[in-house]
Amino acid sequence: MQRIRPYYRIREAGSGAIVTANSVIGTSVARHDLPGKLTGEAKYTGDMSLPDMLYGKIVRSPHPHARIVSINTSSVDALPGVRAVLTPFNVPEGRLAPDVPILDRVARYVGDEVAAVAADDEDLAEYATGLIKVEYEPLSFVTTAREAMKPNSAPVHPGGNLVGGEPLTLTRGDVDEGFDQADRVFSMSFSTPAHSPAPLEPRAAVAAWEGGRLTVWKTSRGVHADRLSLASALGIDRDNVRVVGATLGAGFGGKDESRLSVIAAELARRTGKPVKIEATREEEFVAGRKRHSTETTVKVGVKSDGTITAIHATTLMDTGAYLASGPGVVRRAGQAALYLYRCANVRYDGYLVYTNQPSAASYRALGAPQGHFALEVTMNHIADELRIDPLEFRIRNHVGIEGQAGERVTPANEIIDTQPIEGGIPFSSNGLRECLESGAELFGWNDRQAVNSRSAGHIKKGSGMSMFIYRGGPGGRSSARVRLNADGSVQLIAGLMDVGEGSTTVMAQIVAEALGVSYDSVRVTFGDTADTPEAPITAGSTATFSTGTAAKQAAEALKTKILNAAAASLLHDADGLNIVDGSVVDADGEVRMQLSEVAANVGENVLDADASVMPGSRDHIVNSFGAHFAEVEVDTETGNVRVVRYVAAHDSGRILNPQLATNQVEGGVSQMLGFTLSEEMLTDPHSGVTLNASLLEHKSPTVKEYPPIQVIFADVVDPIGPFGAKALGEPPSVGPAPTIINAIYDAIGVRITSLPATPDKILDALSRREEA
């Protein structure tokens, strides 16, 4: 077995290295400038200090569910400096999404958008919102998914509260038969909280019209998707909409899927002036987007030797007032139960439910943290009951590179889903065993009892682990254009958004490697619909794999064009030329031309190349894997949990940028400490009011709580991904909750099944154990 290499080592030949004189793959480079990011034909660019810019503020509902009977704006219509007022009664009838009009005549949560004002300054706009008189007809409301599922519960939307009218049910094999084959059957129930991404930068948008053309600068993870939704809502052709994604101050998936930008656009259309709306911190918590809360039951059948015969998981998920990305989230919550363990008989039932809560939506790793938490804590319980070491239990049962047993259902000419249900399809690569074994070695898993025995008094030590599976990177159709500039530099143009994960850096590396030029010579244009080809949203950890594949192909095509142009100038066979360190060289390595000379020789003929790909494989499942290990200390007097150290072992294929990759893992682990131990969006069930809409009260962890995190990567080169890479952005968020909860159990003998594992829950669990 090949060893996992520490993150800071650049792989050598024999372990999948790219051996070229100017190789930048596997090098820790970082790009902080985005040339061309805010350039083009639009009048308004730069720092958003636009001439005559107005400021917008939003009137929000004080009711969790109410019909808007009327809105009286007479007090503000004649107020000097107030330029426009939007209400549900005077906006276009278009929709951002099937259940999201620009403004609605029904408010569905406390904080829902009701009206909006544009004024000369923010203070005036804020003052004006307070003068608008809204007559509401309060309606019955529900604030929990369990309550919303009752037959006589108040419908949040017409058609009932269960989205689609039935659960999402996915099966392979026969779970009833599998449970009949089991020697023992275990069942456990879990709950996870809604919690906020808590980005440092609240969402914001600036909108400006020039004639019938709209330009919007906004927090975004997909400018082309935003352009489509804005055009649809406003009733204009998408060619008349330009969306520019400004550099993002943290996103984590939740920075779109709200009304803010379309309200700014409509206010700007009414006033004929640019309008800016920026959410307050409280608005970001309430009207932004959060992780879906869940209730999950996991039932597992096993033989006495630990062989798994059946897995059945059921999740009840609260999507809040609007659907957003809920269907994708509830689907991803079931993938661990369906595919992480080798098992012929599996079933997943996912219930996605509307409530009168603030809307949930995309948040790093979507439903995978919730689903893995329930499954992996259950599996640890089973291992304990069978007296099998948790690591050994997983080594015996984890899915292998051959995939699951069964028959392929996907037609032979179709790309395999990265979240499959069927069996009979192998993985393109699978380093899960490597992650388990090498992660355990680095952690000292076999020596943990000696470490735990050092517990003194009321401070108890424990160790825990978990493993996970995640989609490997193929996403929607992705495109890229690569152009040779007159000065010999190279321009990469893609519609992708860098949401903080460093894709601008990695894409430049990929192009530099494929073309044979230095990283510093690659310029990147991202996030602007005016200058870039169509692109999907940055989501699902797909950017490096999907857009990276397109960028690599475009760069390779451009290299061929450059060499053909050079060959024509040199009267030389193109097959005998290459590009090394940004120069055209012959077979002897002698420099024959600079790229700037090639550009000059072709004159007005631009040398560029486009590539558009539907990423993925028709023969293999492309997935990423990992295993996490943690040591904790639990204070049995206060209930406080301290994570002492953490080991994260990941299979994300070849690591193209070691420093960025390590940062992703460290960030994901640190972020999910909050989900596990402290964070929860609290709603008063009697009023629907969010009780802790601030950084002070949301209880996100700080650097003081972050443990030392050791990161290692499996020595795996995926044969499908660009230069062997697979997904990494979201997988680090999947492992922390079950890993830490399993470690808490190891320390104090109580298993927390309701997150976050706050001190009061720890003390209550200890008290119940003593009373039993």
Side-chain angles (χ1 to χ4, degrees):
M1 184 189 74
Q2 290 182 307
R3 304 298 297 161
I4 292 182
R5 300 179 185 273
Y7 72 84
Y8 51 81
R9 294 186 188 170
I10 299 174
R11 293 196 176 94
E12 301 167 347
S15 63
I18 301 174
V19 186
T20 63
N22 64 311
S23 181
V24 294
I25 298 299
T27 304
S28 291
V29 293
R31 181 174 295 281
H32 302 290
D33 60 308
L34 299 183
K37 184 69 178 287
L38 292 175
T39 61
E41 297 177 356
K43 176 180 179 182
Y44 304 119
T45 60
D47 65 0
M48 301 298 97
S49 297
L50 308 185
D52 300 321
M53 186 160 71
L54 305 178
Y55 296 85
K57 287 292 182 179
I58 295 172
V59 178
R60 298 188 179 276
S61 171
H63 300 284
H65 199 194
R67 184 172 292 108
I68 299 168
V69 178
S70 65
I71 298 180
N72 186 338
T73 65
S74 59
S75 296
V76 298
D77 288 340
L79 193 64
V82 173
R83 305 301 178 182
V85 180
L86 297 184
T87 76
F89 304 99
N90 68 3
V91 294
E93 295 183 355
R95 292 174 176 266
L96 279 171
D99 60 353
V100 184
I102 297 175
L103 288 173
D104 204 348
R105 299 183 187 188
V106 176
R108 293 182 170 84
Y109 68 94
V110 175
D112 206 353
E113 296 90 347
V114 172
V117 173
D120 290 347
D121 62 66
E122 288 186 87
D123 291 337
L124 178 58
E126 184 70 37
Y127 174 71
T129 61
L131 298 179
I132 294 174
K133 297 177 181 179
V134 184
E135 182 183 352
Y136 296 94
E137 177 190 342
L139 303 172
S140 299
F141 63 92
V142 289
T143 58
T144 68
R146 185 67 60 185
E147 181 185 5
M149 287 286 288
K150 294 179 179 178
N152 297 321
S153 63
V156 179
H157 290 272
N161 293 331
L162 177 60
V163 175
E166 60 184 7
L168 169 69
T169 297
L170 306 170
T171 63
R172 184 177 65 253
D174 187 326
V175 289
D176 292 333
E177 181 179 321
F179 285 123
D180 289 341
Q181 296 170 358
D183 296 324
R184 299 184 66 178
V185 176
F186 297 85
S187 181
M188 296 184 70
S189 295
F190 303 84
S191 66
T192 64
H195 73 132
S196 171
L200 290 179
E201 175 201 47
R203 67 194 62 217
V206 176
W209 292 79
E210 291 184 291
R213 298 180 65 85
L214 169 67
T215 300
V216 175
W217 296 263
K218 70 183 293 288
T219 47
S220 174
R221 60 177 179 150
V223 293
H224 288 275
D226 285 337
R227 179 173 69 164
L228 285 175
S229 62
L230 284 167
S232 174
L234 296 168
I236 60 177
D237 191 283
R238 71 172 185 171
D239 290 337
N240 290 326
V241 180
R242 178 188 182 190
V243 178
V244 181
T247 301
L248 201 62
F252 312 117
K255 271 290 181 70
D256 48 10
E257 301 168 337
S258 70
R259 293 181 166 114
L260 188 141
S261 60
V262 73
I263 291 174
E266 183 59 21
L267 285 170
R269 179 158 62 176
R270 299 288 179 91
T271 61
K273 296 183 178 182
V275 173
K276 174 183 178 180
I277 304 179
E278 181 177 358
T280 65
R281 178 61 58 191
E282 182 179 9
E283 286 176 320
E284 182 62 42
F285 271 105
V286 176
R289 296 297 183 258
K290 61 184 181 179
R291 192 180 297 280
H292 295 72
S293 63
T294 63
E295 296 178 21
T296 298
T297 297
V298 178
K299 182 180 178 182
V300 181
V302 294
K303 295 287 191 181
S304 297
D305 64 357
T307 301
I308 299 171
T309 62
I311 301 173
H312 184 189
T314 303
T315 292
L316 177 64
M317 180 173 286
D318 183 349
T319 197
Y322 298 102
L323 187 60
S325 55
V329 180
V330 75
R331 169 64 183 87
R332 202 164 301 177
Q335 192 58 23
L338 294 170
Y339 239 80
L340 179 58
Y341 287 86
R342 189 171 56 252
C343 183
N345 306 297
V346 295
R347 176 175 175 138
Y348 171 66
D349 295 297
Y351 295 78
L352 184 66
V353 181
Y354 284 120
T355 68
N356 294 112
Q357 288 264 13
S359 183
S362 302
Y363 186 180
R364 195 172 187 177
L366 300 188
Q370 299 97 307
H372 279 79
F373 163 63
L375 180 70
E376 283 297 85
V377 174
T378 299
M379 291 304 187
N380 246 51
H381 171 61
I382 293 171
D384 290 341
E385 290 292 309
L386 298 179
R387 299 186 182 279
I388 302 173
D389 181 274
L391 173 64
E392 177 60 27
F393 180 82
R394 289 173 172 85
I395 288 175
R396 292 185 193 179
N397 287 293
H398 75 79
V399 66
I401 194 167
E402 69 281 358
Q404 298 286 353
E407 294 186 4
R408 173 173 174 156
V409 177
T410 301
N413 63 340
E414 290 186 11
I415 291 176
I416 303 298
D417 193 341
T418 57
Q419 294 182 146
I421 307 164
E422 65 204 288
I425 306 173
F427 292 98
S428 57
S429 59
N430 183 335
L432 183 51
R433 175 70 62 91
E434 241 181 295
C435 291
L436 288 166
E437 293 180 342
S438 294
E441 181 181 356
L442 180 61
F443 182 78
W445 181 258
N446 293 333
D447 301 323
R448 69 190 187 284
Q449 298 303 331
V451 173
N452 296 350
S453 66
R454 299 173 193 159
S455 298
H458 57 88
I459 304 297
K460 306 299 182 183
K461 291 180 177 289
S463 302
M465 66 159 300
S466 72
M467 66 180 184
F468 52 87
I469 186 171
Y470 202 77
R471 56 186 300 183
R477 178 165 293 280
S478 301
S479 303
R481 181 179 307 123
V482 182
R483 182 181 67 227
L484 179 63
N485 295 325
D487 63 357
S489 65
V490 175
Q491 197 78 31
L492 165 62
I493 304 166
L496 191 69
M497 269 300 302
D498 188 328
V499 297
E501 83 284 11
S503 58
T504 50
T505 296
V506 172
M507 297 304 155
Q509 287 182 265
I510 289 173
V511 168
E513 188 72 37
L515 196 52
V517 301
S518 70
Y519 166 81
D520 290 335
S521 68
V522 180
R523 305 288 177 259
V524 179
T525 299
F526 273 11
D528 186 341
T529 58
D531 302 320
T532 62
E534 291 283 343
I537 61 175
T538 300
S541 300
T542 61
T544 296
F545 192 106
S546 299
T547 301
T549 297
K552 181 173 181 287
Q553 290 187 11
E556 290 169 342
L558 177 60
K559 182 176 183 177
T560 298
K561 289 185 176 182
I562 291 172
L563 293 178
N564 286 336
S569 298
L570 297 170
L571 302 179
H572 195 288
D573 184 0
D575 291 338
L577 299 176
N578 197 7
I579 302 175
V580 176
D581 293 333
S583 301
V584 177
V585 301
D586 59 22
D588 296 324
E590 181 181 347
V591 175
R592 302 297 299 273
M593 293 186 75
Q594 300 298 325
L595 293 189
S596 57
E597 296 178 81
V598 178
N601 287 347
V602 298
E604 296 181 357
N605 297 317
V606 176
L607 283 179
D608 62 5
D610 294 83
S612 180
V613 301
M614 182 57 74
S617 170
R618 291 179 173 82
D619 302 311
H620 297 90
I621 304 163
V622 183
N623 275 181
S624 294
F625 303 89
H628 285 191
F629 302 79
E631 178 187 333
V632 303
E633 290 181 349
V634 183
D635 188 327
T636 56
E637 290 185 352
T638 66
N640 187 63
V641 176
R642 185 171 77 91
V643 182
V644 177
R645 62 191 182 96
Y646 203 98
V647 170
H650 282 254
D651 164 25
S652 291
R654 176 185 275 122
I655 302 305
L656 305 186
N657 188 301
Q659 188 60 62
L660 285 179
T662 303
N663 292 347
Q664 285 288 344
V665 178
E666 291 177 340
V669 171
S670 301
Q671 185 175 38
M672 294 303 282
L673 292 179
F675 174 71
T676 307
L677 298 174
S678 62
E679 293 181 354
E680 182 175 12
M681 291 299 297
L682 299 171
T683 301
D684 177 14
H686 304 294
S687 66
V689 172
T690 299
L691 300 175
N692 59 334
S694 69
L695 290 173
L696 175 65
E697 296 172 309
H698 184 251
K699 303 303 180 187
S700 298
T702 68
V703 68
K704 184 178 179 181
E705 285 79 46
Y706 297 160
I709 301 171
Q710 293 176 279
V711 182
I712 52 177
F713 294 105
D715 197 3
V716 170
V717 178
D718 189 81
I720 310 298
F723 293 115
K726 296 191 292 184
L728 179 60
E730 291 172 298
S733 301
V734 179
T739 300
I740 293 168
I741 295 303
N742 288 336
I744 291 172
Y745 176 81
D746 188 50
I748 59 175
V750 296
R751 212 176 296 275
I752 304 299
T753 58
S754 176
L755 297 182
T758 52
D760 60 312
K761 290 182 182 178
I762 299 286
L763 294 177
D764 287 348
L766 287 171
S767 178
R768 288 194 300 270
R769 186 188 65 178
E770 292 173 0
E771 293 171 357

